Amino acid sequence: MGWRGILGCEYGIVQAPLGPDISGPELAAAVSNAGGLGLLRAPDWEAPDHVRELIRKTRSLTDKPFGIGVVLAFPHEENLKVILDEKVDVLQLYWGECTKELVKEAHQVGVKVVPQVGSFEEARRAVNVGVDAIIVQGREAGGHIIGQDALITLVPRVVDLVGEKDIPVIAAGGIVDGRGYVAALALGATGVCIGTRFLATEESNAHPLYKRKLVEYDQTEYTDIFGRARWPGAPHRVLKTPFFNDWRSLPPNENEVNQPIIGRSTVHGVEKQIHRFTGTVPNSTTTGDIESMAMYAGQGVGLIKQILPAGEVLRRLVEGAQLIIQRQCDAT
């Protein structure tokens, strides 16, 4: 059945590489130990020693496959060298060109390459360079969104594009429970990639207040008010917090530069000041005005009712999907 494994895992569930450091070794290992594919997130700057440390710490927590996500829009060459040297199971790529040369280099050391795409044309290019799977992100997703299409239209087109090739199509965007999982399978996907639901877990490195807001709030909005200077042209979906509602109409000529400092955080071992409208989400070390910081979330956030262990989230996803499919089989 459709919930069976992809990319060497027991189940077709991928935990999104939550940035900048929300999916650390504890979360990635917990997901992988439960039968899914946990993904670390590499820093958005060159930090090869830190990347090696992340990988090795995760290996100390799980003997199952796991991977690491790299945003190609930021400096990454030295980080990539370490990832390939450590022979991580999966290299997930986003927001940049996945080249044939990179895929070949990864395959030479046994690393699978999985880009995340937001359009049919991006998916076509990924197929042509020989990737191992494709994550198809719909506009329903939380965080930074690379395309404009919804999952219900984009996933079937990519599935048809892939055809008989052995390239799993993984749906991402707004999926938080077994119903969303089955819906993705009905569209032709082989698996699902889930971010917001794994944000709201015990092992997530998100700030406790951020986690509580994911349970408390049920509405999101597609915007560009956070991180305009650092990552221009990168719209995102966030929780509709009081802070966001107050500033949602931020003039297009304004950004985080010269804004007041509202907090501090240690991100991948580096101490950072957080200015108002900075796109960095609050992690467990963050201090200051947490409620005025970016809180990314997908459209499925209204279905999240409690903070759970990551393994329990995965178990409920699988059992929920199995139950729905079995009921449909029994009904026919």
Side-chain angles (χ1 to χ4, degrees):
M1 301 298 291
W3 58 77
R4 289 182 181 167
I6 51 175
L7 299 169
C9 301
E10 187 176 357
Y11 301 119
I13 298 173
V14 179
Q15 163 251 306
L18 305 166
D21 65 345
I22 303 302
S23 57
E26 292 77 14
L27 177 57
V31 171
S32 290
N33 283 333
L37 179 68
L39 294 178
L40 300 166
R41 167 69 184 275
D44 294 336
W45 57 89
E46 297 286 24
D49 291 341
H50 182 73
V51 170
R52 195 181 301 277
E53 182 182 336
L54 286 175
I55 293 167
R56 292 186 174 180
K57 183 173 182 181
T58 308
R59 282 211 175 105
S60 74
L61 299 174
T62 184
D63 59 0
K64 303 290 182 65
F66 67 92
I68 186 166
V70 173
V71 177
L72 296 173
F74 299 116
H76 59 270
E77 294 296 335
E78 296 303 313
N79 294 339
L80 271 178
K81 288 178 183 177
V82 168
I83 291 167
L84 299 184
D85 182 57
E86 289 288 328
K87 298 180 175 60
V88 176
D89 299 281
V90 173
L91 169 62
Q92 190 268 351
L93 302 171
Y94 191 38
W95 217 280
E97 184 182 3
C98 175
T99 65
K100 184 173 291 186
E101 292 73 24
L102 176 53
V103 172
K104 180 180 179 181
E105 189 179 358
H107 285 174
Q108 285 174 342
V109 294
V111 175
K112 296 174 182 175
V113 180
V114 182
Q116 179 164 288
V117 306
S119 70
F120 180 80
E121 287 306 318
E122 264 195 298
R124 187 198 300 276
R125 290 195 293 271
V127 170
N128 289 340
V129 299
V131 301
D132 298 280
I134 301 173
I135 297 173
V136 178
Q137 183 196 48
R139 201 171 186 267
E140 305 91 336
H144 293 88
I145 302 169
I146 201 166
Q148 291 295 317
D149 294 328
L151 278 183
I152 199 167
T153 56
L154 185 56
V155 168
R157 292 191 70 203
V158 176
V159 169
D160 290 346
L161 169 70
V162 168
E164 298 302 315
K165 297 182 179 68
D166 186 22
I167 302 176
V169 175
I170 302 163
I175 300 166
V176 299
D177 62 13
R179 292 169 294 182
Y181 192 172
V182 172
L185 298 178
L187 295 174
T190 315
V192 291
C193 181
I194 295 174
T196 307
R197 176 61 270 196
F198 283 117
L199 255 174
T201 58
E202 293 177 2
E203 295 88 348
S204 154
N205 192 38
H207 191 280
L209 180 63
Y210 183 11
K211 295 183 188 184
R212 290 201 299 273
K213 297 301 181 185
L214 293 169
V215 175
E216 190 176 321
Y217 290 97
D218 60 6
Q219 293 188 0
T220 65
E221 188 156 323
Y222 181 82
T223 183
D224 75 338
I225 72 168
F226 293 104
R228 286 175 177 171
R230 175 177 169 272
W231 195 351
H236 33 269
R237 184 174 298 282
V238 299
L239 285 177
K240 292 178 70 172
T241 62
F243 174 83
F244 173 77
N245 288 331
D246 288 343
W247 292 95
R248 62 195 301 170
S249 299
L250 185 71
N253 62 317
E254 294 190 28
N255 56 43
E256 67 270 31
V257 177
N258 298 325
Q259 291 289 327
I261 296 170
I262 62 171
R264 287 175 168 76
S265 189
T266 301
V267 181
H268 286 300
V270 177
E271 293 186 12
K272 292 184 175 289
Q273 296 176 334
I274 299 177
H275 293 256
R276 188 169 60 192
F277 307 125
T278 297
T280 302
V281 298
N283 67 17
S284 60
T285 72
T286 305
T287 58
D289 184 7
I290 307 295
E291 299 207 25
S292 297
M293 297 179 187
M295 294 188 182
Y296 303 131
Q299 286 185 334
V301 69
L303 296 169
I304 298 174
K305 305 301 182 185
Q306 60 188 133
I307 310 301
L308 294 169
E312 177 65 12
V313 168
L314 198 137
R315 184 188 69 81
R316 293 187 184 191
L317 279 160
V318 173
E319 292 185 357
Q322 291 173 334
L323 182 60
I324 292 168
I325 292 172
Q326 187 58 53
R327 283 175 176 169
Q328 292 299 315
C329 291
D330 292 344
T332 57

